[in-house]
Amino acid sequence: MSGGRAVQSTDVSTGLPAGRREPRVGVLVVAYNAASTLEKTLNRLPQSFVDTVDHVMVCDDASADDTYEIGLRFRDTARFPITVVKHERNLGYGGNQKAGYRWALEHGLDVVVLLHGDGQYAPECIEDLVAPLVSGEADAVFGSRMLDKGGARAGGMPAYKYVGNKILTRFQNTLTGQRLSEWHSGYRAYRTDALADLDLAAYSDDFDFDTEIILGLIRARKRIVEVPIPTYYGDEICYVNGVKYARDVAGDVVRHWATEHGFGGGVQSLESDEYALKDEYGSHAVLLEWLARHEPGRVLDAGCYDGRFAQRARVLGHHVTGLDRQKHEGVAERVDEFIEADLNLPLPHNLDAQYDVVVAGDILEHVVEPHLLLTDLAAKVRPGGELLVSVPNFGHWYPRGRIAVGKFDYDQRGPLDRGHIRFFTRDMIERLLADCGLSVLETRIVGTPFNTFADSSQDNLGGRVVRRIERTDRGLVRAWPRLFGYQFLYRLEVA
């Protein structure tokens, strides 16, 4: 066929172009002051691997000893292709890896294995890490010292490192939803096409780079496999500041969690745009509790979005009319009636003005003139009916803290939701209610939804921790509602 574009097929077993059955596998050796161990480490690579390896890259991170010279000497008699470089300045553990991965990508390698020049990780196991990548089972393979029970301690891992490793790993798994046996091994192998999908340049140059690359793989939905490796602690010098490392990796994972759940600044997140119902101790639970006190009647759900709250109100026996600017998918099946209306404009004249209850849940902060909308909604309540209102608290410690440190920005949810154009403190919302001629029948204040960290109903570590935090938070809400209240809710009577 003339003028057409050739389409290159892919070998499903390797993920590589058809016709190139064997992937190009390379090794990145990161080395710093490894003069006494580098040559021994390279000599331990198994012959079967040496016979097939495409290239070995030794990156000396500006060592103060003869690491570079020993590498050059080894290169002259090496049994495999090897390149030895020395950075003019120390790039850091993460920076050294970045330079090596750039080299691997530029030179067309398909798989790259990270090997430490101090011999702490067994070169003899390198083929175990490569195999799942070559077979297409994984995008990244981590050597774990924790998979074989008791192996880490038997191999000489100090007790304090073992305990710290286990604690940090559990914490990281809890916040990311992973089930890795170890987050802190430096023995890893990656498909380079997976690395190409990560923003490596934005990651740390320090030792927490290894954690950041795991988080990047999780965000990119890459497949991670672990294989067991032996533990060896010898005479190598450890350059890791344990306290700083723990603080850095914990901070990385917390920021990852915040970003995944729409917090932490900016609007980029994997959190769905679908409006989240706030269950149990949240605002929606309170609004439903108030609706349950009423005999079944006519309810107007203003800003009903996809109708999931309205659906729960219908379960209570109410006839629910949904009101929003567009008809979202599924809303027709969840409401008894739907009226399309822009809440920034006067409500339609044909909207029935005899509702038993009008619900304005988390909508006043989304409109330009909340006073006008509130007045319009109040006019739709029959005599003796109620208006239910909820708003987020801009005086909550989270937005206050962000402002105090100069980090104000929009999130995808919460008090700094990217859709909010009005912000309310307790004094501001109560002044607005009074200005609209509304009398407060009942006020309820709910706390921070910490159960988004972990399911507090579960009897596991995450659930137990969140339950304790929730109990503490509810006490703080009672003691200082203006600072710890997450949302303010009001049952209102129209004067």
Side-chain angles (χ1 to χ4, degrees), residues 46-62:
Q47 186 62 48
S48 56
F49 179 78
V50 167
D51 290 341
T52 60
V53 69
D54 185 278
H55 211 93
V56 173
M57 175 76 159
V58 176
C59 286
D60 175 12
D61 199 19

Side-chain angles (χ1 to χ4, degrees), residues 288 291 296-297 299 307-321 330-337:
L288 289 169
L291 282 174
V299 173
R308 286 180 298 138
F309 175 82
Q311 185 176 41
R312 298 192 184 188
R314 291 177 71 195
V315 171
L316 298 173
H318 297 293
H319 180 283
V320 183
T321 298
V331 71
E333 292 76 33
R334 297 177 182 133
V335 299
D336 294 290
E337 181 183 2

Side-chain angles (χ1 to χ4, degrees), residues 6 9 44 67 93 177 274 292 305 354 357 379 409 443 448 475 487 490:
S9 62
R44 289 168 59 193
T67 297
Y93 175 70
E274 185 179 271
Y305 195 70
Q354 293 296 308
V357 182
D409 198 354
T443 301
T448 307
Q487 285 180 293
Y490 299 91

Side-chain angles (χ1 to χ4, degrees), residues 60-173:
D60 175 12
D61 199 19
S63 296
D65 63 9
D66 296 331
T67 297
Y68 177 65
E69 289 73 21
I70 289 173
L72 292 178
R73 186 179 68 198
F74 182 89
R75 180 196 63 185
D76 293 339
T77 59
R79 301 165 290 156
F80 45 81
I82 182 170
T83 297
V84 183
V85 297
K86 181 174 184 175
H87 303 311
E88 293 184 1
R89 61 179 182 85
N90 186 274
L91 302 181
Y93 175 70
N96 200 8
Q97 285 191 61
K98 293 179 192 180
Y101 296 145
R102 281 196 301 270
W103 184 92
L105 288 164
E106 290 167 359
H107 285 75
L109 296 180
D110 301 303
V111 172
V112 60
V113 184
L114 174 66
L115 182 64
H116 289 209
D118 62 6
Q120 181 179 346
Y121 297 104
E124 294 85 358
C125 298
I126 198 165
E127 290 171 309
D128 294 337
L129 276 74
V130 172
L133 301 172
V134 172
S135 67
E137 299 172 33
D139 298 300
V141 180
F142 300 158
S144 172
R145 297 164 293 185
M146 302 296 180
L147 282 174
D148 288 338
K149 189 174 181 180
R153 291 290 289 129
M157 181 181 286
Y160 75 92
K161 287 194 175 184
Y162 177 82
V163 172
N165 190 319
K166 298 291 280 188
I167 291 173
L168 282 173
T169 291
R170 175 173 286 193
F171 172 76
Q172 290 164 305
N173 280 337

Side-chain angles (χ1 to χ4, degrees), residues 338-353:
F338 179 80
I339 298 175
E340 192 169 313
D342 187 343
L343 299 182
N344 280 299
L345 301 175
L347 297 180
H349 294 295
N350 62 346
L351 187 63
D352 196 316

Side-chain angles (χ1 to χ4, degrees), residues 172-476:
Q172 290 164 305
N173 280 337
T174 299
L175 262 62
T176 61
Q178 299 299 300
R179 300 181 66 181
L180 295 175
S181 65
E182 179 179 13
W183 279 65
H184 308 287
S185 167
Y187 204 6
R188 302 168 174 212
Y190 305 100
R191 289 178 62 100
T192 55
D193 55 5
L195 293 177
D197 290 338
L198 308 182
D199 186 13
L200 297 179
Y203 296 171
S204 170
D205 289 335
D206 212 335
F207 289 99
D208 60 323
F209 175 86
D210 281 349
T211 287
E212 290 193 326
I213 207 168
I214 296 178
L215 298 174
L217 292 166
I218 294 170
R219 281 192 293 269
R221 302 294 190 261
K222 302 300 183 183
R223 299 163 300 166
I224 300 173
V225 169
E226 293 184 287
V227 297
I229 59 171
T231 302
Y232 171 74
Y233 274 82
D235 298 329
E236 68 277 356
I237 299 174
C238 180
Y239 295 96
V240 182
N241 180 324
V243 174
K244 180 180 183 301
Y245 174 75
R247 183 180 67 240
D248 288 346
V249 299
D252 292 336
V253 174
V254 169
R255 282 189 293 273
H256 167 86
W257 178 92
T259 301
E260 292 280 283
H261 289 77
F263 296 109
V267 298
Q268 294 184 352
S269 155
L270 297 181
E271 180 80 7
S272 169
D273 280 335
E274 185 179 271
Y275 189 67
L277 289 182
K278 303 173 181 68
D279 291 324
E280 195 172 357
Y281 302 109
S283 59
H284 292 118
V286 174
L287 294 173
L288 289 169
E289 176 194 328
W290 286 344
L291 282 174
R293 299 179 186 176
H294 289 263
E295 293 294 325
R298 303 183 66 220
V299 173
L300 176 65
D301 183 10
C304 67
Y305 195 70
D306 62 5
R308 286 180 298 138
F309 175 82
Q311 185 176 41
R312 298 192 184 188
R314 291 177 71 195
V315 171
L316 298 173
H318 297 293
H319 180 283
V320 183
T321 298
L323 182 69
D324 215 326
R325 63 179 180 178
Q326 68 182 92
K327 195 171 186 177
H328 291 277
E329 183 178 355
V331 71
E333 292 76 33
R334 297 177 182 133
V335 299
D336 294 290
E337 181 183 2
F338 179 80
I339 298 175
E340 192 169 313
D342 187 343
L343 299 182
N344 280 299
L345 301 175
L347 297 180
H349 294 295
N350 62 346
L351 187 63
D352 196 316
Q354 293 296 308
Y355 289 97
D356 298 293
V357 182
V358 172
V359 180
D362 300 348
I363 62 169
L364 296 179
E365 63 273 16
H366 292 274
V367 297
V368 177
E369 295 292 348
H371 183 281
L372 297 180
L373 175 60
L374 203 52
T375 302
D376 264 3
L377 292 175
K380 306 303 178 186
V381 180
R382 68 163 176 79
E386 291 183 3
L387 175 59
L388 309 183
V389 171
S390 67
V391 295
N393 174 27
F394 190 69
H396 183 263
W397 57 263
Y398 173 71
R400 284 198 200 194
R402 291 278 296 281
I403 293 169
V405 297
K407 296 291 185 181
F408 176 84
D409 198 354
Y410 287 96
D411 297 329
Q412 192 159 312
R413 65 185 298 175
L416 300 181
D417 186 304
R418 62 181 176 180
H420 293 182
I421 56 178
R422 290 284 186 162
F423 299 100
F424 296 98
T425 62
R426 185 173 186 177
D427 290 343
M428 291 170 63
I429 183 59
E430 293 184 355
R431 184 165 60 246
L432 173 63
L433 298 176
D435 290 346
C436 292
L438 299 169
S439 301
V440 177
L441 299 174
E442 184 178 353
T443 301
R444 194 80 64 85
I445 303 169
V446 297
T448 307
F450 286 107
N451 57 2
T452 56
F453 277 98
D455 185 354
S456 59
S457 67
Q458 297 296 312
D459 190 24
N460 54 26
L461 177 63
R464 291 193 294 272
V465 169
V466 169
R467 284 197 294 274
R468 293 191 189 100
I469 294 174
E470 286 177 335
R471 286 195 293 270
T472 301
D473 183 64
R474 287 195 289 273
L476 291 170

